[in-house]
Amino acid sequence: MSKITTELLLERAVPRSTRLRKIETLNLSKLQLKTGDLDPRLFSRLRHLQKLDLSDNLLDKFPNSLTLPDLRVLNCNNNKLEDVTALKQFPLLEELTYENNVYLTLNDDYKVMFLLQNLRLLNGKDITKLANHVRRVNSRKLTSKVTAHWEKFFRDQLPEKYTAEQVKSIKKKFLKSVQTNVVYGPSSLSEFTRWRVKMIAEEFLAYSLGLELNTDPEPEEKMDENEEESTESPTEAAEDTNQVTVTPSKRKRNHSKPGSGNKRSKSQANTEEEAVVSPRKSGHAQDDPAPDKPRTSNQPDKEATSEQGAEGTHKNGEQFPKGQSNRRSSQLTGEQKSQEQDNGVVSLTPVKNSKGKEDVSAEPLHFLQCHSKGNSREDFKTQLWSCVFEPLLDCGARKDPIVSSSRTVATCGGESICLIDCETGTVLKKYKVATEEFFSVAWTTLTMVISDSRKKSHNILAAAGRRGIVKLIHVAADFCYGEIKAHKKPIATVCFSPTQETHLFTASYDKRIALWDIGIPDCDYKFKASQLLVLEALSIPLRIVLVPTCPDQYLLAGCEGGCFAWNIKLDKEQKSRPFEAVFQFPNEDGGITTSHRVDGLAFLNDDVIVSKSSKPGCIYLWSWSRSFDAKGKGCQRTVSALILAELEWSMTDLSYLTLSTCPAKAYVFCGDEKGSVWMYNLSNYTTAWSSAKGKRSDKRIPPTQILKWPELRANGEQLTEVLINNVVSDPTFTYLVVLTSVNVTAIWKKS
């Protein structure tokens, strides 16, 4: 579209105007404006502009010389802003909103509070008291610390008669040292603190040594120091099974034909950028484009708590809530469990199967609504995406004494992650990031050094989603201790290496799979993450798995455009690698194809792979060892998947209903578009498949059982169109956790 013109400004004035200098209110929202469209020469003629609306555009920053001397109210919601320091050019600004800018954090809130002395309202909240604290108390404390640091470490280094080169050298050393060593306030504000410390140090040197003050802020150096963040602690979890959270708007579900390659749409068209989509389907349009700028340092993001040193926080960040019973979890028996409808509580009824008998192999235990938006009892739209059971530790802190598997599961959807006790239905902990939509979670167990120098194993949860950032959570300490800005675009899925506890794979919509070493945090939660490898994909990777027999050498990925394999061995010098092989599968026409969407991928055992493609009603089982020749030469070669069998499944053409396996019991699980869970017990087939002479099963294998979705009612009305996004069992198939498109987590227990 064309750049802003005088005619456009006059037309968008409120009310319409005939002269630029007369405009006081201007609405430039929803024009897909980029930073280059804001012409300072044109805007300098808006001398009496007081209210400006730039919401729902594509701005990543503000030009430094817009010259709006009378601007009082500014709306920048739903943009792509990465920095707020240019807003200091509007000194009279009183009201500022910039919600849903995914790269702006709590640190940016503090920056604008310091820079804009007249600011009263920030994102709709009165910040007068906090801003005064930031401008006065915070500045006074930091100035004292900066001065003390100079006196103690640098004053004697400067001779009585010094040259310009000596001053330049000591200034560089002092600025680096003071930003590293001066600490104040919670670590979630460490970026703001370094920014202010640098500013104060430069002012101090200018005053003390007569140096010229640098008024143009330089890009901050990336620090090795880990920046920890605070996590919200929703203490109302016990009162509301709807312990809900705010979710960014979601994408529309893809109803295209399989293999069409059509992406889900955004509510606003952007002809220059690829649409941002969730790793799976969603019920609503995605309003926010993915951020374009890669973020690689460990920096905190904006949290629900805005005040520094807020009450009830852990010394290293805010706490999770302690384990509390989720009182709205509904337990099902053979009879309908009715509850009062005026309080928004759901009521659930088991549905009879086609033979008139209730399914008896698994019984429903709990139906939880714990990812809701704004703790609303009416939220049946938040999508739930991923769940994974917590690995057992030697201490067995949350171990069921009866079974040999953990009964604690981590679930994610919307802006929150929940830890749930499957037996009791208790939401043990909840972690929330107001501007995030989490798509994937994964566990690892790290051996950490605790305060008395003893080593102890702790479970760490990694979570990632729309913002392309990986959160690292030490669950036992109720603390999110760091983050890795891994990708420019959303992360579809993550997984840890089973052999290297610190190695994390992240698959992103930027068509890359990255391998990270997340490091091991010390007793102060300082850690250093590094990128080890980047795997280049031809299309968006949706699912990734490591080959069980060689997890340090090969990775498989189900992508929008097919199924691919990479060599991930780290002894190779090449850090960025193309795929090594692409697999061919049968298509609907009876031929073979490599180009199809693979939205489900898992190993049933060391050799048998289960994959779900865009072919309706089709789940393939195929052999890794007989399909892929590790000794084969050449890169990007095409190989045929040796199909062992096909599983009979729903004929829906909806994508992104993913599958999972329980290798110990030889089970495959996959949900469908009607709320049902298809279960396949394949223990009678695996022996034949392991034989080198094993032949493909002639007929599709039917499900062992289909778990029907119980009737789900809210306020007396039945919820319809329940889609099963994910189904996961614990390693011993004691519990089955079902994630839906209607913000309900269902927990079944094997009878």
Side-chain angles (χ1 to χ4, degrees):
M1 58 170 281
S2 61
K3 294 185 180 294
I4 295 176
T5 62
T6 300
E7 292 73 18
L8 177 66
L9 294 179
L10 295 175
E11 180 182 344
R12 303 279 293 200
V14 183
R16 289 191 180 185
S17 178
T18 56
R19 295 193 177 184
L20 294 180
R21 66 184 182 185
K22 292 184 177 182
I23 297 176
E24 294 185 357
T25 301
L26 183 60
N27 183 356
L28 297 178
S29 65
K30 300 181 180 180
L31 294 176
Q32 298 207 26
L33 299 177
K34 295 188 176 182
T35 299
D37 296 327
L38 304 182
D39 184 356
R41 291 175 298 179
L42 193 57
F43 273 75
S44 66
R45 298 165 61 186
L46 301 169
R47 294 189 173 276
H48 297 290
L49 183 65
Q50 295 188 17
K51 296 182 179 180
L52 176 60
D53 186 351
L54 290 168
S55 61
D56 299 293
N57 283 297
L58 303 173
L59 304 176
D60 57 3
K61 62 181 179 179
F62 276 94
N64 286 320
S65 53
L66 283 186
T67 318
L68 302 174
D70 205 27
L71 189 64
R72 309 298 174 96
V73 179
L74 178 61
N75 182 352
C76 305
N77 289 344
N78 297 307
N79 275 276
K80 301 164 65 177
L81 294 176
E82 300 169 358
D83 183 65
V84 295
T85 53
L87 296 176
K88 67 182 180 181
Q89 65 184 298
F90 310 128
L92 300 184
L93 206 59
E94 298 175 358
E95 299 180 22
L96 172 64
T97 55
Y98 49 58
E99 295 179 307
N100 292 328
N101 284 270
V102 295
Y103 278 155
L104 296 187
T105 72
L106 182 62
N107 293 274
D108 295 294
D109 293 354
Y110 276 69
K111 289 179 183 180
V112 296
M113 282 187 272
F114 173 78
L115 292 172
L116 301 173
Q117 301 292 312
N118 291 319
L119 193 65
R120 296 182 296 102
L121 295 177
L122 178 61
N123 294 328
K125 297 179 180 179
D126 188 339
I127 49 90
T128 305
K129 185 176 179 180
L130 178 59
N132 287 334
H133 177 89
V134 172
R135 297 167 192 149
R136 294 179 175 85
V137 179
N138 182 286
S139 295
R140 185 170 62 248
K141 294 282 188 182
L142 291 179
T143 300
S144 175
K145 287 176 175 286
V146 169
T147 304
H149 192 75
W150 169 267
E151 294 291 333
K152 184 175 182 179
F153 298 107
F154 288 90
R155 181 179 179 181
D156 294 337
Q157 295 185 28
L158 197 65
E160 292 185 8
K161 295 183 180 180
Y162 45 80
T163 64
E165 285 299 319
Q166 288 175 317
V167 170
K168 183 178 180 181
S169 175
I170 201 168
K171 176 184 177 181
K172 182 178 179 180
K173 292 178 181 178
F174 176 59
L175 291 179
K176 183 176 181 180
S177 175
V178 77
Q179 289 180 80
T180 303
N181 295 291
V182 171
V183 179
Y184 177 69
S187 51
S188 59
L189 290 171
S190 56
E191 181 193 346
F192 166 75
T193 300
R194 286 205 305 271
W195 177 77
R196 278 293 290 134
V197 163
K198 181 181 180 182
M199 188 182 300
I200 292 169
E202 288 180 332
E203 292 172 352
F204 172 80
L205 292 177
Y207 176 78
S208 301
L209 305 180
L211 300 179
E212 182 178 351
L213 184 62
N214 179 17
T215 57
D216 296 323
E218 301 173 1
E220 294 187 27
E221 296 183 19
K222 293 180 179 179
M223 313 295 287
D224 291 337
E225 175 189 9
N226 171 46
E227 297 177 354
E228 300 155 352
E229 69 160 25
S230 60
T231 64
E232 182 168 345
S233 178
T235 55
E236 66 275 10
E239 287 76 21
D240 287 313
T241 304
N242 293 355
Q243 22 172 336
V244 237
T245 55
V246 182
T247 312
S249 17
K250 301 179 184 62
R251 290 113 1 256
K252 290 181 180 177
R253 176 177 294 276
N254 181 11
H255 291 274
S256 60
K257 292 292 181 183
S260 66
N262 293 338
K263 304 293 187 295
R264 287 116 304 197
S265 63
K266 294 184 294 182
S267 62
Q268 297 178 16
N270 180 359
T271 58
E272 295 183 346
E273 297 189 41
E274 180 181 342
V276 175
V277 289
S278 140
R280 315 147 188 82
K281 76 275 147 217
S282 282
H284 297 279
Q286 167 87 9
D287 292 330
D288 305 318
D292 283 339
K293 184 178 179 181
R295 311 275 286 192
T296 55
S297 62
N298 296 334
Q299 297 176 351
D301 62 296
K302 180 184 284 187
E303 301 298 339
T305 302
S306 61
E307 294 195 12
Q308 190 172 6
E311 182 180 356
T313 60
H314 188 279
K315 69 175 183 178
N316 288 318
E318 290 189 89
Q319 299 178 349
F320 286 95
K322 298 300 181 184
Q324 302 178 54
S325 174
N326 195 330
R327 297 190 181 120
R328 289 197 58 223
S329 63
S330 303
Q331 294 207 358
L332 295 183
T333 61
E335 301 177 356
Q336 178 175 347
K337 188 88 171 182
S338 62
Q339 303 178 5
E340 293 186 12
Q341 297 175 0
D342 57 357
N343 62 0
V345 176
V346 296
S347 62
L348 301 162
T349 307
V351 175
K352 304 287 183 180
N353 63 18
S354 59
K355 297 180 181 179
K357 297 181 180 180
E358 291 185 18
D359 293 332
V360 294
S361 65
E363 62 178 9
L365 285 184
H366 312 285
F367 289 80
L368 310 177
Q369 190 184 1
C370 53
H371 290 268
S372 304
K373 181 176 181 178
N375 284 344
S376 168
R377 296 174 183 271
E378 307 302 322
D379 180 9
F380 293 98
K381 296 180 180 179
T382 293
Q383 298 270 348
L384 308 183
W385 298 124
S386 175
C387 62
V388 60
F389 277 83
E390 181 178 14
L392 288 175
L393 294 173
D394 293 338
C395 60
R398 280 181 290 278
K399 181 178 177 181
D400 189 320
I402 300 176
V403 299
S404 59
S405 172
S406 168
R407 67 187 201 188
T408 302
V409 67
T411 61
C412 75
E415 65 176 7
S416 63
I417 301 161
C418 293
L419 266 69
I420 302 170
D421 184 320
C422 289
E423 183 64 29
T424 65
T426 301
V427 178
L428 302 170
K429 303 175 187 292
K430 186 173 181 179
Y431 169 70
K432 186 170 76 169
V433 179
T435 56
E436 182 62 278
E437 181 180 10
F438 288 107
F439 295 154
S440 186
V441 286
W443 290 99
T444 190
T445 303
L446 300 182
T447 303
M448 300 167 59
V449 177
I450 54 181
S451 55
D452 56 359
S453 298
R454 290 187 295 111
K455 293 184 178 180
K456 188 175 181 181
S457 295
H458 290 280
N459 284 334
I460 301 299
L461 185 67
R466 185 172 65 90
R467 298 180 64 201
I469 297 172
V470 178
K471 299 291 184 182
L472 300 174
I473 304 169
H474 183 191
V475 173
D478 300 342
F479 180 51
C480 178
Y481 67 86
E483 62 182 33
I484 302 169
K485 295 177 174 64
H487 295 272
K488 299 177 182 180
K489 293 189 177 182
I491 295 173
T493 187
V494 298
C495 78
F496 279 100
S497 165
T499 57
Q500 305 292 332
E501 60 183 10
T502 62
H503 285 191
L504 175 69
F505 291 88
T506 58
S508 169
Y509 279 79
D510 61 12
K511 301 178 184 178
R512 291 180 175 89
I513 301 169
L515 171 59
W516 302 86
D517 187 334
I518 67 169
I520 297 179
D522 61 20
C523 57
D524 296 320
Y525 287 102
K526 292 183 178 180
F527 75 105
K528 186 175 182 179
S530 58
Q531 187 182 86
L532 304 178
L533 192 63
V534 175
L535 309 177
E536 302 289 345
L538 299 181
S539 58
I540 297 171
L542 302 172
R543 294 285 176 270
I544 54 176
V545 292
L546 296 165
V547 178
T549 55
C550 46
D552 295 327
Q553 184 164 2
Y554 289 107
L555 176 142
L556 287 177
C559 304
E560 286 282 356
C563 185
F564 299 84
W566 283 265
N567 189 322
I568 59 172
K569 205 166 185 179
L570 290 177
D571 60 1
K572 293 177 174 288
E573 294 184 1
Q574 191 178 7
K575 298 301 181 183
S576 179
R577 301 177 190 173
F579 66 89
E580 185 153 321
V582 57
F583 294 92
Q584 291 179 328
F585 291 86
N587 61 18
E588 293 181 87
D589 302 326
I592 57 174
T593 182
T594 59
S595 180
H596 63 141
R597 180 182 297 122
V598 178
D599 55 12
L601 189 68
F603 272 86
L604 181 64
N605 54 34
D606 285 350
D607 183 62
V608 177
I609 304 168
V610 188
S611 65
K612 185 169 76 69
S613 73
S614 52
K615 182 179 177 181
C618 178
I619 297 177
Y620 287 118
L621 291 101
W622 49 289
S623 169
W624 160 256
S625 61
R626 284 180 275 171
S627 301
F628 181 80
D629 181 6
K631 297 180 181 179
K633 295 182 179 180
C635 195
Q636 301 187 29
R637 64 185 189 271
T638 300
V639 297
S640 296
L642 193 148
I643 307 297
L644 301 172
E646 290 185 42
L647 301 183
E648 182 182 305
W649 187 65
S650 168
M651 293 303 295
T652 180
D653 61 357
L654 290 177
S655 299
Y656 314 114
L657 307 177
T658 194
L659 58 79
S660 71
T661 61
C662 179
K665 301 296 182 180
Y667 260 87
V668 175
F669 309 98
C670 192
D672 67 13
E673 80 288 0
K674 297 180 180 179
S676 299
V677 176
W678 299 56
M679 305 195 304
Y680 307 83
N681 183 350
L682 303 176
S683 56
N684 293 332
Y685 298 88
T686 53
T687 301
W689 291 337
S690 63
S691 169
K693 297 180 180 179
K695 297 182 179 180
R696 174 175 176 174
S697 302
D698 294 331
K699 297 181 180 180
R700 288 189 175 185
I701 300 174
T704 306
Q705 183 180 359
I706 299 177
L707 295 180
K708 297 294 185 179
W709 185 254
E711 293 180 3
L712 186 64
R713 298 183 181 277
N715 297 329
E717 297 183 3
Q718 183 173 349
L719 292 176
T720 57
E721 298 184 4
V722 178
L723 309 172
I724 305 300
N725 292 339
N726 204 344
V727 186
V728 174
S729 79
D730 68 297
T732 60
F733 189 18
T734 303
Y735 302 100
L736 194 65
V737 179
V738 180
L739 303 183
T740 71
S741 62
V742 293
N743 188 30
V744 172
T745 302
I747 301 174
W748 299 69
K749 187 174 183 179
K750 191 175 180 183
S751 301

